[in-house]
Amino acid sequence: MQALLVFLSIAALSLLASSRAALDPGRFPAVAQLAASGLLFLALGAVLGPGSLGGLTWSDLTALRPVLALGLGVAGVIVGLNLEPRLMRLLPSAVYAAALAHAGTTFVWVALPLAGPLLFAMGLPPGAAVGAAALLGAAASLSSGHFAVLGYRSGRMERGRGLSVALLTVLDDVVGLSVLALALAFGVTGDLLHGLGLVGLALLLGGACGALLAFLMHGLKDHGELMAVLLGGIALVSGAAAYLRVSALLAGVACGATLALVGGRAVEQAARELGRFERPVYLLLVFLVGAHVQARDVMAWALLPGYVGLRFLGKVMGGALAQRIAGNTLALPPRLGYALIAQGGLALCMVAEYLMLVPGTLSQRVFDVVVAGSVFNELLASRAFRHVLAAPPTRTPGGTA
């Protein structure tokens, strides 16, 4: 009963924080930032979880795993729908190069230095240490564009620049999900071929469910019928992935990408309607992710400063490199790296999926570092984004500012 009351309270809070009034940056900027990032719900989950106050026990979290899998499936479908094939074909190669440059720079800056402590100080096997470092790098490479979106919605940032930053963060997701697939292939069973088969099964499952959904939604015009079919399909792909012990996140991405590839007016309408459920589902998912945090792991706290600091440097340097590559193609802000400090919810989904499918001390440690790092990165991002909004200094012909 206690767990049910906690869960219902969080559900009510998520609906309240998803209202248009709370998300209006012009009226309540501080509340809009907290609601957009999910930081409040993440911290609340960590406080009420079994690692802290114990409002939820480990048995409660085990019973709520289907809800977590459903949330991961919804997140995956939304990411897949954002990978619009027609838009992706229209983007010039410089945009892809810029996205790969800044995501890859951050990945290298985080993964390589942290592989040393994981390998030598913690006494891990080489394969496990490399996999953990790669997952930390993949999570660090992801960014959120919600500060840019709030910036242009409130009139503090040009719309073109905000959309350009958001586009780069969407392309980041592809890099992070690719590394997650490799990490799951190595870590789920210890056998690479078997692991690749499970990843392929998740993608095949998602693609098949996406094709089935596209067939069932074809010709439907009623909003209620569209949403019933879409939500039922998402529940199907998430439940099947959880039953088969494969990634619900990757299956959801494959499902959403298949829907986007098939296209059609019914799919576009259903995708717009799904946006109404995105915020409440996301906040519930973030709460459940926070509840899995083990705050007493000393080694996780030891890795945290390096993770946050190296990621910040990687984002600044990667942003400068992306600006050089695509500065003439996209309306990117001069200090692009400072606009990419926010972590993003997909990083939390990635490490939560890894923790569910590859349980153990190492995956829990990686999970704790990324979750705690996302909180610090959000705090850093709120201050760093001011440098993006500030006008760069102009130089006179004599060379002085």
Side-chain angles (χ1 to χ4, degrees):
M1 180 61 68
Q2 180 182 0
L4 179 61
L5 290 176
V6 170
F7 188 73
L8 291 177
S9 300
I10 297 304
L13 284 175
S14 68
L15 291 173
L16 178 62
S18 303
S19 66
R20 291 183 180 272
L23 293 175
D24 186 0
R27 297 179 58 186
F28 307 106
V31 176
Q33 177 188 338
L34 291 175
S37 64
L39 175 64
L40 182 62
F41 286 79
L42 184 68
L44 185 61
V47 171
L48 294 178
S52 296
L53 296 182
L56 292 171
T57 64
W58 289 115
S59 60
D60 294 330
L61 295 182
T62 301
L64 288 172
R65 279 197 171 187
V67 180
L68 182 59
L70 179 61
L72 292 173
V74 173
V77 170
I78 293 173
V79 171
L81 286 171
N82 289 333
L83 301 176
E84 174 60 45
R86 288 172 293 181
L87 175 61
M88 296 300 164
R89 286 195 296 266
L90 292 175
L91 292 178
S93 58
V95 176
Y96 291 102
L100 183 60
H102 86 78
T105 301
T106 308
F107 176 86
V108 171
W109 267 82
V110 172
L112 291 184
L114 292 185
L118 289 171
L119 183 60
F120 299 107
M122 299 182 181
L124 297 174
V130 171
L135 195 59
L136 286 173
S141 68
L142 300 180
S143 300
S144 173
H146 69 271
F147 277 103
V149 173
L150 290 175
Y152 78 73
R153 283 183 178 176
S154 62
R156 298 181 300 159
M157 188 177 191
E158 296 178 8
R159 180 179 176 84
R161 288 185 172 180
L163 291 176
S164 297
V165 173
L167 175 61
L168 287 182
T169 59
V170 170
L171 295 178
D172 285 350
D173 298 345
V174 179
V175 178
L177 290 170
S178 300
V179 178
L180 172 64
L182 290 177
L184 291 176
F186 278 99
V188 171
T189 62
D191 184 355
L192 178 58
L193 292 179
H194 190 193
L196 288 174
L198 292 178
V199 171
L201 178 60
L203 297 177
L204 181 62
L205 172 66
C209 289
L212 176 62
L213 273 176
F215 173 75
L216 294 175
M217 290 191 298
H218 180 71
L220 293 180
K221 298 181 180 179
D222 184 74
H223 290 186
E225 291 181 354
L226 277 174
M227 286 311 302
V229 172
L230 179 61
L231 294 179
I234 294 175
L236 174 64
V237 68
S238 303
Y243 178 77
L244 296 173
R245 295 288 298 170
V246 297
S247 173
L249 180 62
L250 293 179
V253 172
C255 179
T258 303
L259 286 173
L261 181 63
V262 173
R265 186 166 62 180
V267 173
E268 294 176 359
Q269 186 177 358
R272 289 193 298 268
E273 294 293 330
L274 185 61
R276 299 181 181 181
F277 297 88
E278 179 180 357
R279 295 302 306 173
V281 171
Y282 169 71
L283 295 177
L284 281 172
L285 176 61
V286 166
F287 169 78
L288 290 176
V289 169
H292 286 78
V293 170
Q294 285 277 24
R296 299 182 179 90
D297 189 352
V298 178
M299 296 306 298
W301 287 107
L303 289 173
L304 180 61
Y307 173 80
V308 174
L310 291 170
R311 182 182 182 274
F312 187 89
L313 292 176
K315 284 296 178 184
V316 172
M317 296 183 65
L321 182 58
Q323 175 64 248
R324 290 185 180 182
I325 295 174
N328 296 327
T329 306
L330 294 175
L332 297 173
R335 300 182 179 96
L336 175 60
Y338 291 99
L340 302 171
I341 303 300
Q343 184 84 60
L346 185 60
L348 302 177
C349 295
M350 286 174 48
V351 292
E353 187 75 275
Y354 190 74
L355 180 64
M356 290 181 62
L357 295 178
V358 193
T361 303
L362 180 58
S363 57
Q364 181 69 53
R365 186 164 296 159
V366 171
F367 175 86
D368 292 341
V369 171
V370 173
V371 171
S374 66
V375 177
F376 286 98
N377 288 327
E378 187 70 25
L379 298 176
L380 285 174
S382 64
R383 300 185 65 86
F385 197 73
R386 300 174 186 175
H387 296 282
V388 181
L389 299 176
T394 58
R395 294 186 177 275
T396 63
T400 58

